[in-house]
Amino acid sequence: MLQRPSPPPTGPRPSRVRRSTNRGGVQKRSGGPIRVDKDGDLDMDAAGGPAKDRGVGRVSRGALQSRANARSRFGSGRDTNSSRPTRGIADAAGLQKTILRGIGVDGHFPRGSELIPRTTKQMGKSLVRERDLNARARWEQIIIRGFQNSKAASNPDGGIKHLIAFLERKASAPDASARDLVRVKQSRLDGDALIISVKSEDLPKIIRLDKFIFAGSSLEIAHYHGENTNPQGDENGGTGKNEVSTALTAVLSRRYDPSLKLLDLSNLGADPELVNIGMFSTTARESKLVPALMKILDSVFTTPEQKAEAVLSVSLASNALTSTSSVTDLAQTLPALKNLDLSNNQLKNLNALRGWRWKFRNLDHLVLSGNPLEMEVPSYKDDIVKWYPSLRILNNEQVRSSDETKEVSKYVTPIPIAAPSFRDEAGIGETFVKSFFPTYDSDRAALINEYYDGASTFSLSINVSAPRDPETAEQKISNWDGYIKRSRNLVKVTYLPARMSRIYKGTENIRQCWLSMPSTRHPNLLTEPETWCIECNAIPGLPDPSGQSLGGVGGLIVTIHGEFFEVDISTGLPINRRSFDRTFVLGPSPRARCVRVACDVLVLRAWGGSQAWKAEAPGLPLSTVPPPQASVSPQGQIYQLQVPRGFGQSSSKKSWEQTRNEMMAVELSQKTGMTLEYSGECLKQSGWTFKGALASFEQVKANLPPEAFFISI
């Protein structure tokens, strides 16, 4: 049978390639065009010549290994018959240079036989040694003063964190890359100064910030040439770490009196054992003394309860302290301290003590006598009493009675609580509040028909993490089964459709939601006004339901904080006691006789009591026109007490006692309806005890003249 001739080749004509006699396997062509098959793929047979000669020139595996080892020893790094670099230990010099460039260490290192014979582990150790030597030589230290007088000095860390961030930000160029930003390697306190470590190239960038203003205070910045200039150096100055630890433990043991539960750290500079170990040889080591003692104390008493039970009193007298920055660890280790002695130091102003402001919440007795503070800030006692709400004795003088301490320390917060603001218009808010909650408890369907319409919205949220009343904190937490399915807590409910479905719009949807919730009983607003906190303010721009005003209409926003009982329908007995926060947005209704609820937001939480909204001294600063203070009379009238400007506010012209008395008079007037003058007289006759004044009022209110009240009761 005749055979059809094969088609002519479609690729280029192959050139003659001399077969290698010193290498086998697949080889790269040394020259000429690459041959491809008819599909355009690389023809692998072309590199090795004809198939019949494919085995010619093949060498053993051992020979190849020998050649590779030879190339490694002589550092060639490349195969003479290949353009591809070898990826083995032969390229270690390049690898080392790449690593050094990545970690930011400059310098040239030789290629070749000196580095290449090392194993990978040896090379890694060499890199670490070289990096450490270079890094240690490149760090400089800078000393900074003046930040102790800044506003940031009142921070728990003395403002150091914000100061370092300020320096790094100001020293770095605005367009600098992340690699070129100025960074502070390490920082430490040295008395009133801060010593930081930076790269040598960043030294002038920091030095130029001298006289810059940080948090209201001018900084003094200079190059520091003191001891221990290496941030990686020995912090013990040559003294063995174990020796120092043993000596400090002995000092702590010797200065602790278990019978008095007193830790006496007074006059530490004269302690011979501390002097012998060189604890005061440098300012840096001296500043680490109290933190080291506190660390040892932490290892002895491991729990806060053990520390509170073991140490009630601490004396830091006669230590030449200029601020609390070097002893700030004391507040972290012993926060439940009862008695503290800081006498005979060098505390010049209140800024020196701001690091401990609002610390030591159980502090009962504080001694500050013998400090320049007494002469330079004569009114310092007023501020100290505000900082420590449980303080009874200051410099061996009583500043509060035990009853006052219990009342103040139980509810005081760093931000004073102001009285509520009730700014009603034509009695609309008052009428709504007085009628809403009784109807909500008795007939919710009727309430919806009266105040809600098709555009009204209602939402419910459960806050299970809200603080509880301290007196009931140990009681079992009741469940939320009656509300949880309808809760719109945005922290818990993150799925958008679920969030939108829990906004109930229109009377029918709101009615179904309300009827599914447990029955309630709210306290009587007339007989238990202290359980309510009600605020009312005007808001503009509400949608006009009639559509006549394109710019919207005016309305009211009413915020109510209170409590209620869930009631068992079958028995009528209360089951669970809960607290709530409810906000209403009220607007004009098409119906002439009432307002409409545009928005109703209800937040439920565990019962937290009613002390959270009791006004306390000192009050928040009043505006130019003092807002009227809202309260409820025994007959249910919501009245407004006008407080004169500055009344109840602390100032340099008034003592703390006067400010406290004025605030108590305001609160008594809100509860009784008496004028401020009569309230002040009632408190004075009762020894300035609030409960005694209330009891006295109940006994004599029937005999008081009409002018004793600013409203008619």
Side-chain angles (χ1 to χ4, degrees), residues 180-488:
D180 296 330
L181 293 176
V182 175
R183 297 296 183 194
V184 174
K185 171 68 176 178
Q186 196 177 50
S187 64
R188 58 184 172 88
L189 280 174
D190 191 351
D192 289 340
L194 179 70
I195 299 177
I196 62 174
S197 301
V198 298
K199 292 181 180 180
S200 57
E201 57 264 30
D202 293 335
L203 177 64
K205 300 177 184 179
I206 300 287
I207 295 296
R208 71 176 180 83
L209 301 180
D210 184 35
K211 306 302 181 185
F212 268 49
I213 302 299
F214 166 71
S217 178
S218 177
L219 298 177
E220 299 178 9
I221 303 176
H223 191 190
Y224 182 68
H225 300 284
E227 298 181 8
N228 192 24
T229 55
N230 175 21
Q232 313 287 343
D234 182 14
E235 296 181 356
N236 293 328
T239 304
K241 183 177 180 180
N242 294 335
E243 180 184 349
V244 172
S245 178
T246 303
L248 293 181
T249 303
V251 169
L252 199 63
S253 176
R254 175 166 44 85
R255 287 176 170 265
Y256 174 64
D257 187 343
S259 61
L260 299 176
K261 298 184 178 181
L262 167 66
L263 181 60
D264 185 5
L265 301 179
S266 62
N267 201 15
L268 292 172
D271 192 298
E273 196 165 357
L274 294 176
V275 174
N276 289 338
I277 63 173
M279 207 64 209
F280 305 103
S281 58
T282 65
T283 308
R285 299 196 69 194
E286 182 180 345
S287 65
K288 297 176 183 178
L289 173 58
V290 172
L293 292 175
M294 293 300 103
K295 188 174 181 180
I296 296 173
L297 196 66
D298 280 330
S299 64
V300 176
F301 305 108
T302 57
T303 65
E305 292 77 15
Q306 291 178 348
K307 296 172 190 173
E309 178 65 24
V311 183
L312 296 180
S313 308
V314 171
S315 175
L316 287 169
S318 305
N319 280 310
L321 295 175
T322 58
S323 71
T324 60
S325 59
S326 60
V327 293
T328 186
D329 293 54
L330 181 69
Q332 301 172 9
T333 305
L334 301 171
L337 203 63
K338 295 283 187 181
N339 310 296
L340 178 61
D341 185 1
L342 292 171
S343 61
N344 301 319
N345 282 291
Q346 300 298 320
L347 305 173
K348 296 181 179 180
N349 49 46
L350 290 173
N351 285 333
L353 294 168
R354 287 192 182 275
W356 280 349
R357 184 183 182 186
W358 299 106
K359 306 293 184 181
F360 304 119
R361 307 308 294 164
N362 299 323
L363 191 64
D364 181 74
H365 188 178
L366 176 63
V367 182
L368 290 171
S369 57
N371 283 280
L373 174 71
E374 293 182 296
M375 297 296 296
E376 299 192 16
V377 189
S379 62
Y380 76 95
K381 291 184 179 180
D382 294 338
D383 293 278
I384 294 298
V385 170
K386 298 173 189 175
W387 290 1
Y388 304 105
S390 64
L391 189 67
R392 287 190 312 111
I393 302 174
L394 178 59
N395 296 342
N396 297 319
E397 297 179 1
Q398 184 171 346
V399 293
R400 287 193 187 100
S401 66
S402 299
D403 293 338
E404 290 173 334
T405 300
K406 292 178 182 178
E407 192 69 21
V408 173
S409 62
K410 186 175 181 180
Y411 304 111
V412 73
T413 59
I415 302 176
I417 302 171
S421 173
F422 196 93
R423 302 185 180 187
D424 199 359
E425 292 187 5
I428 295 174
E430 176 184 350
T431 303
F432 173 80
V433 172
K434 291 170 64 176
S435 64
F436 183 90
F437 289 97
T439 311
Y440 182 85
D441 293 339
S442 59
D443 192 350
R444 296 178 182 177
L447 185 64
I448 291 175
N449 294 332
E450 184 174 0
Y451 288 113
Y452 294 77
D453 58 23
S456 300
T457 61
F458 169 79
S459 64
L460 165 70
S461 178
I462 299 174
N463 183 3
V464 296
S465 60
R468 306 175 63 197
D469 184 77
E471 298 178 357
T472 61
E474 301 300 325
Q475 296 182 7
K476 182 180 179 181
I477 301 176
S478 55
N479 61 65
W480 298 94
D481 293 345
Y483 308 96
I484 196 68
K485 291 183 179 180
R486 300 185 182 276
S487 174
R488 193 176 178 264

